[in-house]
Amino acid sequence: MNIGIFGTGIVGRTLGSRLIDVGHSVKMGSRTQGNANALEWVATAGDQATEGTFEDAAIFGEVLINATNGEGALAALTSAKAENLANKTVLDVTNPLDLSHGFPPSLSVSNTDSLGEQIQRAFPDAHIVKTLNTTNCAVMANPQSLPEMHNAFIAGNNDEAKQKTRDLLQDFGWPDEWIIDLGDITASRGTEAWIHLWLRLMQHFGDANFNLHVVRP
Amino acid sequence: MNIGIFGTGIVGRTLGSRLIDVGHSVKMGSRTQGNANALEWVATAGDQATEGTFEDAAIFGEVLINATNGEGALAALTSAKAENLANKTVLDVTNPLDLSHGFPPSLSVSNTDSLGEQIQRAFPDAHIVKTLNTTNCAVMANPQSLPEMHNAFIAGNNDEAKQKTRDLLQDFGWPDEWIIDLGDITASRGTEAWIHLWLRLMQHFGDANFNLHVVRP
């Protein structure tokens, strides 16, 4: 499947490489064609890796992944153009981190709203699915790297888009029973807020190589 | 040990009963002596159960537990009087839920502050330890009721108070290795924010009988 990824940081490159490894074709989009990160990634990720603008990636992808930083998300999707997002599944893996006051960051939107909802409101014809923002990109892309069961979450308004997201998560290695559907896009408030605890755990452990498992009877 | 509990709701009564079961003496405090919930609890919880005002409970307890609702926490502790909290370990198990706009609630303080920090600032001579606010009171009081390992968190500024909290959690049935020390009281921002995700999970599962386990290599 053709997948467009917005963002050339570590998250976009890690997810892009993994998707190519499992048989997909990926175009990485950034503000300008020929972004240095994107070119370096294309050079190492194999024949199915290409790069271009946000708009190029949006046109290319049957499914899209927003892997920009939270601050740049709305601008990136605006640059990709609403008509290129319409009726497409857009995985949003970002968190609205506000690093302007040091570490740990706060969130630039929280509590009664979320970045997932902001994006859905800005692009009402796109099918936004908030997912994978609850863990580090190495775990997102290779969940079997942890030794026990743990969970991913999906939240969105469109059931077909959520099924496509489940399928893509399974390609990454997430068994279907590890994926918890939290309901509509407002549940992004829950998964984005978890980052506050995630950040404290990262400080405690000294690395980001962990995830949560919801234990039930 | 003599333990004072603030709050006569389901959390206070569940924790109080469990503490008596494992050998402690508990005085449950509320705004007025003779609160109906408190009297009913005293009648069923055994010889080591007593009740009184917030101040009575504060004077009685070597260790104190704030199990009011979040909205009433500061008023309850004010009523208990700062001099009765001074140099004591005060477990704060509350969350600042704002239910005024329906379900799921938002938080009345979040992101760049927390109720745990507000309480510590208001009572600088007390040793506030934020703990157990990340799960349902049935799990707080009996963690072995879940079939697998899961985690409790502690956050506070005083190491001796955190050790006393660990000891009390072990009395509830939390093995020491299940307890994660997140650092100072500002980490309350993390454990309180988790409630946003906890609430969505409760909606998904239809009950509150779950907790998180942090999975690591």
Side-chain angles (χ1 to χ4, degrees), chain B residues 12-26:
Chain B
R13 287 179 279 139
T14 302
L15 297 183
S17 295
R18 175 73 170 158
L19 288 168
I20 287 170
D21 286 347
V22 299
H24 296 291
S25 299
V26 175

mmCIF file with all atom_site columns, all heavy atoms in Angstrom, chain B residues 12-26:
data_model
loop_
_atom_site.group_PDB
_atom_site.id
_atom_site.type_symbol
_atom_site.label_atom_id
_atom_site.label_alt_id
_atom_site.label_comp_id
_atom_site.label_asym_id
_atom_site.label_entity_id
_atom_site.label_seq_id
_atom_site.pdbx_PDB_ins_code
_atom_site.Cartn_x
_atom_site.Cartn_y
_atom_site.Cartn_z
_atom_site.occupancy
_atom_site.B_iso_or_equiv
_atom_site.pdbx_formal_charge
_atom_site.auth_seq_id
_atom_site.auth_comp_id
_atom_site.auth_asym_id
_atom_site.auth_atom_id
_atom_site.pdbx_PDB_model_num
ATOM 1   N N   . GLY B 1 12 ? -12.494 6.339  51.219 1.00 0.00 ? 12 GLY B N   1
ATOM 2   C CA  . GLY B 1 12 ? -12.098 6.358  52.625 1.00 0.00 ? 12 GLY B CA  1
ATOM 3   C C   . GLY B 1 12 ? -12.536 5.103  53.361 1.00 0.00 ? 12 GLY B C   1
ATOM 4   O O   . GLY B 1 12 ? -11.767 4.527  54.140 1.00 0.00 ? 12 GLY B O   1
ATOM 5   N N   . ARG B 1 13 ? -13.763 4.681  53.106 1.00 0.00 ? 13 ARG B N   1
ATOM 6   C CA  . ARG B 1 13 ? -14.261 3.496  53.809 1.00 0.00 ? 13 ARG B CA  1
ATOM 7   C C   . ARG B 1 13 ? -13.543 2.219  53.367 1.00 0.00 ? 13 ARG B C   1
ATOM 8   O O   . ARG B 1 13 ? -13.213 1.353  54.183 1.00 0.00 ? 13 ARG B O   1
ATOM 9   C CB  . ARG B 1 13 ? -15.779 3.375  53.597 1.00 0.00 ? 13 ARG B CB  1
ATOM 10  C CG  . ARG B 1 13 ? -16.556 4.436  54.396 1.00 0.00 ? 13 ARG B CG  1
ATOM 11  C CD  . ARG B 1 13 ? -18.053 4.332  54.162 1.00 0.00 ? 13 ARG B CD  1
ATOM 12  N NE  . ARG B 1 13 ? -18.421 4.988  52.910 1.00 0.00 ? 13 ARG B NE  1
ATOM 13  C CZ  . ARG B 1 13 ? -19.308 4.526  52.031 1.00 0.00 ? 13 ARG B CZ  1
ATOM 14  N NH1 . ARG B 1 13 ? -19.933 3.387  52.258 1.00 0.00 ? 13 ARG B NH1 1
ATOM 15  N NH2 . ARG B 1 13 ? -19.574 5.194  50.931 1.00 0.00 ? 13 ARG B NH2 1
ATOM 16  N N   . THR B 1 14 ? -13.264 2.114  52.062 1.00 0.00 ? 14 THR B N   1
ATOM 17  C CA  . THR B 1 14 ? -12.570 0.916  51.567 1.00 0.00 ? 14 THR B CA  1
ATOM 18  C C   . THR B 1 14 ? -11.152 0.837  52.122 1.00 0.00 ? 14 THR B C   1
ATOM 19  O O   . THR B 1 14 ? -10.715 -0.218 52.606 1.00 0.00 ? 14 THR B O   1
ATOM 20  C CB  . THR B 1 14 ? -12.538 0.927  50.023 1.00 0.00 ? 14 THR B CB  1
ATOM 21  O OG1 . THR B 1 14 ? -13.885 0.982  49.540 1.00 0.00 ? 14 THR B OG1 1
ATOM 22  C CG2 . THR B 1 14 ? -11.842 -0.306 49.472 1.00 0.00 ? 14 THR B CG2 1
ATOM 23  N N   . LEU B 1 15 ? -10.438 1.962  52.067 1.00 0.00 ? 15 LEU B N   1
ATOM 24  C CA  . LEU B 1 15 ? -9.066  1.967  52.601 1.00 0.00 ? 15 LEU B CA  1
ATOM 25  C C   . LEU B 1 15 ? -9.079  1.745  54.115 1.00 0.00 ? 15 LEU B C   1
ATOM 26  O O   . LEU B 1 15 ? -8.252  0.998  54.654 1.00 0.00 ? 15 LEU B O   1
ATOM 27  C CB  . LEU B 1 15 ? -8.358  3.280  52.262 1.00 0.00 ? 15 LEU B CB  1
ATOM 28  C CG  . LEU B 1 15 ? -8.138  3.579  50.773 1.00 0.00 ? 15 LEU B CG  1
ATOM 29  C CD1 . LEU B 1 15 ? -7.351  4.881  50.609 1.00 0.00 ? 15 LEU B CD1 1
ATOM 30  C CD2 . LEU B 1 15 ? -7.403  2.429  50.073 1.00 0.00 ? 15 LEU B CD2 1
ATOM 31  N N   . GLY B 1 16 ? -10.027 2.384  54.808 1.00 0.00 ? 16 GLY B N   1
ATOM 32  C CA  . GLY B 1 16 ? -10.104 2.242  56.257 1.00 0.00 ? 16 GLY B CA  1
ATOM 33  C C   . GLY B 1 16 ? -10.341 0.801  56.685 1.00 0.00 ? 16 GLY B C   1
ATOM 34  O O   . GLY B 1 16 ? -9.672  0.283  57.595 1.00 0.00 ? 16 GLY B O   1
ATOM 35  N N   . SER B 1 17 ? -11.277 0.150  56.023 1.00 0.00 ? 17 SER B N   1
ATOM 36  C CA  . SER B 1 17 ? -11.580 -1.249 56.379 1.00 0.00 ? 17 SER B CA  1
ATOM 37  C C   . SER B 1 17 ? -10.377 -2.149 56.146 1.00 0.00 ? 17 SER B C   1
ATOM 38  O O   . SER B 1 17 ? -10.062 -3.021 56.965 1.00 0.00 ? 17 SER B O   1
ATOM 39  C CB  . SER B 1 17 ? -12.774 -1.750 55.562 1.00 0.00 ? 17 SER B CB  1
ATOM 40  O OG  . SER B 1 17 ? -13.930 -1.018 55.916 1.00 0.00 ? 17 SER B OG  1
ATOM 41  N N   . ARG B 1 18 ? -9.708  -1.926 55.037 1.00 0.00 ? 18 ARG B N   1
ATOM 42  C CA  . ARG B 1 18 ? -8.554  -2.749 54.718 1.00 0.00 ? 18 ARG B CA  1
ATOM 43  C C   . ARG B 1 18 ? -7.429  -2.539 55.746 1.00 0.00 ? 18 ARG B C   1
ATOM 44  O O   . ARG B 1 18 ? -6.773  -3.496 56.182 1.00 0.00 ? 18 ARG B O   1
ATOM 45  C CB  . ARG B 1 18 ? -8.069  -2.400 53.313 1.00 0.00 ? 18 ARG B CB  1
ATOM 46  C CG  . ARG B 1 18 ? -6.808  -3.093 52.882 1.00 0.00 ? 18 ARG B CG  1
ATOM 47  C CD  . ARG B 1 18 ? -7.020  -4.555 52.574 1.00 0.00 ? 18 ARG B CD  1
ATOM 48  N NE  . ARG B 1 18 ? -5.826  -5.117 51.948 1.00 0.00 ? 18 ARG B NE  1
ATOM 49  C CZ  . ARG B 1 18 ? -5.522  -6.397 51.936 1.00 0.00 ? 18 ARG B CZ  1
ATOM 50  N NH1 . ARG B 1 18 ? -6.344  -7.285 52.508 1.00 0.00 ? 18 ARG B NH1 1
ATOM 51  N NH2 . ARG B 1 18 ? -4.435  -6.827 51.350 1.00 0.00 ? 18 ARG B NH2 1
ATOM 52  N N   . LEU B 1 19 ? -7.222  -1.290 56.140 1.00 0.00 ? 19 LEU B N   1
ATOM 53  C CA  . LEU B 1 19 ? -6.161  -0.996 57.123 1.00 0.00 ? 19 LEU B CA  1
ATOM 54  C C   . LEU B 1 19 ? -6.466  -1.660 58.465 1.00 0.00 ? 19 LEU B C   1
ATOM 55  O O   . LEU B 1 19 ? -5.556  -2.164 59.143 1.00 0.00 ? 19 LEU B O   1
ATOM 56  C CB  . LEU B 1 19 ? -5.989  0.520  57.276 1.00 0.00 ? 19 LEU B CB  1
ATOM 57  C CG  . LEU B 1 19 ? -5.335  1.206  56.070 1.00 0.00 ? 19 LEU B CG  1
ATOM 58  C CD1 . LEU B 1 19 ? -5.475  2.726  56.169 1.00 0.00 ? 19 LEU B CD1 1
ATOM 59  C CD2 . LEU B 1 19 ? -3.846  0.808  55.945 1.00 0.00 ? 19 LEU B CD2 1
ATOM 60  N N   . ILE B 1 20 ? -7.719  -1.677 58.838 1.00 0.00 ? 20 ILE B N   1
ATOM 61  C CA  . ILE B 1 20 ? -8.093  -2.371 60.082 1.00 0.00 ? 20 ILE B CA  1
ATOM 62  C C   . ILE B 1 20 ? -7.889  -3.876 59.934 1.00 0.00 ? 20 ILE B C   1
ATOM 63  O O   . ILE B 1 20 ? -7.358  -4.539 60.836 1.00 0.00 ? 20 ILE B O   1
ATOM 64  C CB  . ILE B 1 20 ? -9.542  -1.999 60.466 1.00 0.00 ? 20 ILE B CB  1
ATOM 65  C CG1 . ILE B 1 20 ? -9.549  -0.556 60.996 1.00 0.00 ? 20 ILE B CG1 1
ATOM 66  C CG2 . ILE B 1 20 ? -10.100 -2.975 61.504 1.00 0.00 ? 20 ILE B CG2 1
ATOM 67  C CD1 . ILE B 1 20 ? -10.914 0.039  61.190 1.00 0.00 ? 20 ILE B CD1 1
ATOM 68  N N   . ASP B 1 21 ? -8.259  -4.409 58.775 1.00 0.00 ? 21 ASP B N   1
ATOM 69  C CA  . ASP B 1 21 ? -8.066  -5.846 58.540 1.00 0.00 ? 21 ASP B CA  1
ATOM 70  C C   . ASP B 1 21 ? -6.608  -6.265 58.704 1.00 0.00 ? 21 ASP B C   1
ATOM 71  O O   . ASP B 1 21 ? -6.327  -7.398 59.107 1.00 0.00 ? 21 ASP B O   1
ATOM 72  C CB  . ASP B 1 21 ? -8.536  -6.232 57.133 1.00 0.00 ? 21 ASP B CB  1
ATOM 73  C CG  . ASP B 1 21 ? -10.058 -6.253 57.014 1.00 0.00 ? 21 ASP B CG  1
ATOM 74  O OD1 . ASP B 1 21 ? -10.742 -6.205 58.058 1.00 0.00 ? 21 ASP B OD1 1
ATOM 75  O OD2 . ASP B 1 21 ? -10.556 -6.306 55.873 1.00 0.00 ? 21 ASP B OD2 1
ATOM 76  N N   . VAL B 1 22 ? -5.683  -5.376 58.348 1.00 0.00 ? 22 VAL B N   1
ATOM 77  C CA  . VAL B 1 22 ? -4.270  -5.749 58.432 1.00 0.00 ? 22 VAL B CA  1
ATOM 78  C C   . VAL B 1 22 ? -3.623  -5.260 59.732 1.00 0.00 ? 22 VAL B C   1
ATOM 79  O O   . VAL B 1 22 ? -2.398  -5.295 59.876 1.00 0.00 ? 22 VAL B O   1
ATOM 80  C CB  . VAL B 1 22 ? -3.459  -5.268 57.201 1.00 0.00 ? 22 VAL B CB  1
ATOM 81  C CG1 . VAL B 1 22 ? -4.019  -5.909 55.923 1.00 0.00 ? 22 VAL B CG1 1
ATOM 82  C CG2 . VAL B 1 22 ? -3.451  -3.753 57.089 1.00 0.00 ? 22 VAL B CG2 1
ATOM 83  N N   . GLY B 1 23 ? -4.459  -4.789 60.693 1.00 0.00 ? 23 GLY B N   1
ATOM 84  C CA  . GLY B 1 23 ? -3.933  -4.572 62.040 1.00 0.00 ? 23 GLY B CA  1
ATOM 85  C C   . GLY B 1 23 ? -3.785  -3.140 62.514 1.00 0.00 ? 23 GLY B C   1
ATOM 86  O O   . GLY B 1 23 ? -3.282  -2.913 63.620 1.00 0.00 ? 23 GLY B O   1
ATOM 87  N N   . HIS B 1 24 ? -4.189  -2.166 61.716 1.00 0.00 ? 24 HIS B N   1
ATOM 88  C CA  . HIS B 1 24 ? -4.073  -0.770 62.133 1.00 0.00 ? 24 HIS B CA  1
ATOM 89  C C   . HIS B 1 24 ? -5.348  -0.297 62.836 1.00 0.00 ? 24 HIS B C   1
ATOM 90  O O   . HIS B 1 24 ? -6.395  -0.956 62.780 1.00 0.00 ? 24 HIS B O   1
ATOM 91  C CB  . HIS B 1 24 ? -3.789  0.118  60.912 1.00 0.00 ? 24 HIS B CB  1
ATOM 92  C CG  . HIS B 1 24 ? -2.476  -0.192 60.255 1.00 0.00 ? 24 HIS B CG  1
ATOM 93  N ND1 . HIS B 1 24 ? -1.274  0.076  60.858 1.00 0.00 ? 24 HIS B ND1 1
ATOM 94  C CD2 . HIS B 1 24 ? -2.179  -0.765 59.052 1.00 0.00 ? 24 HIS B CD2 1
ATOM 95  C CE1 . HIS B 1 24 ? -0.285  -0.295 60.049 1.00 0.00 ? 24 HIS B CE1 1
ATOM 96  N NE2 . HIS B 1 24 ? -0.809  -0.824 58.945 1.00 0.00 ? 24 HIS B NE2 1
ATOM 97  N N   . SER B 1 25 ? -5.247  0.869  63.486 1.00 0.00 ? 25 SER B N   1
ATOM 98  C CA  . SER B 1 25 ? -6.406  1.550  64.071 1.00 0.00 ? 25 SER B CA  1
ATOM 99  C C   . SER B 1 25 ? -6.692  2.787  63.231 1.00 0.00 ? 25 SER B C   1
ATOM 100 O O   . SER B 1 25 ? -5.753  3.524  62.892 1.00 0.00 ? 25 SER B O   1
ATOM 101 C CB  . SER B 1 25 ? -6.118  1.961  65.515 1.00 0.00 ? 25 SER B CB  1
ATOM 102 O OG  . SER B 1 25 ? -5.855  0.804  66.295 1.00 0.00 ? 25 SER B OG  1
ATOM 103 N N   . VAL B 1 26 ? -7.952  2.999  62.912 1.00 0.00 ? 26 VAL B N   1
ATOM 104 C CA  . VAL B 1 26 ? -8.302  4.057  61.961 1.00 0.00 ? 26 VAL B CA  1
ATOM 105 C C   . VAL B 1 26 ? -9.391  4.953  62.539 1.00 0.00 ? 26 VAL B C   1
ATOM 106 O O   . VAL B 1 26 ? -10.425 4.462  63.003 1.00 0.00 ? 26 VAL B O   1
ATOM 107 C CB  . VAL B 1 26 ? -8.802  3.452  60.619 1.00 0.00 ? 26 VAL B CB  1
ATOM 108 C CG1 . VAL B 1 26 ? -9.274  4.565  59.675 1.00 0.00 ? 26 VAL B CG1 1
ATOM 109 C CG2 . VAL B 1 26 ? -7.702  2.623  59.956 1.00 0.00 ? 26 VAL B CG2 1
#
